[in-house]
Amino acid sequence: MATVQENLLDWLRDAHAMEQQAENMLKAQAERLENYPDLKRRIEQHLEETLGQQKLLETCISRLGSSPSTLKDIGGKLMAFGQAVGGMTMSDEVVKGAMSGYVFENVEIAMYTVLTETARLAGDSETQQVCEQILPQEIAMADWLKEHLPQITAAFLQRSANPDVQAKR
Ligand code: MG
Ligand code: FE
């Protein structure tokens, strides 16, 4: 068994590891994109937000007397997402990357929804406030990706049909 506070701390550390993975994915995508400037810019903006989220989570975790998990602690828990985007050598990587990003943002939305309720039940109003501050950033990124997937798809398909231009990134 574990107390609400113990679960809260565990999940905050999971969230921090998730944000480190988000940082890696967003960085890799932003670095590779060449022909999709809107997507690149939005990813760079969310990368900045992600670094801020890490800091906020670190504050909560240290206030509870702990420190962030190392990737070793997390093991394979979150690695599946990294792999979905990590092997970005596919000929359609911009489309698969945007799809994976949308999936990842929704995992983040679920994580912060769970954390908000857990912090509330633990009576930790500072952590609750942090989670309520982060959640809209994840929702906004998920919404942006969903709204722009058709446009990204259309641009990819158009470039893909042209032998003279690069489509995949
Ligand atoms: Mg995040
Ligand atoms: Fe995010």
Side-chain angles (χ1 to χ4, degrees), residues 19 53 108 138:
E19 295 302 350
Q53 294 169 0
E108 293 188 288
E138 312 299 13

Side-chain angles (χ1 to χ4, degrees), residues 15 18-19 22 26 46 49-50 53 104-105 108 112 134 137-138:
M18 176 182 77
E19 295 302 350
L26 294 166
H46 196 56
E49 289 170 345
T50 298
Q53 294 169 0
F104 195 93
E105 295 307 325
E108 293 188 288
Y112 290 110
I134 295 174
Q137 298 177 338
E138 312 299 13

Side-chain angles (χ1 to χ4, degrees), residues 53-99:
Q53 294 169 0
Q54 289 177 5
K55 293 264 177 307
L56 288 169
L57 292 169
E58 282 160 23
T59 308
C60 294
I61 290 166
S62 57
R63 192 161 17 79
L64 297 174
S66 185
S67 54
S69 309
T70 62
L71 280 182
K72 204 176 61 194
D73 298 330
I74 304 293
K77 257 193 202 175
L78 293 159
M79 292 305 151
F81 298 108
Q83 274 151 15
V85 182
M88 285 193 306
T89 48
M90 313 96 110
S91 59
D92 56 355
E93 69 174 68
V94 62
V95 174
K96 293 287 165 58
M99 287 172 67

Side-chain angles (χ1 to χ4, degrees), residues 10 12 24 26 35-36 43 61 69 80 83 110-111 130 135:
D10 270 0
L12 282 169
N24 293 339
L26 294 166
N35 300 304
Y36 301 86
I43 287 173
I61 290 166
S69 309
Q83 274 151 15
M111 179 89 254
V130 161
L135 181 59

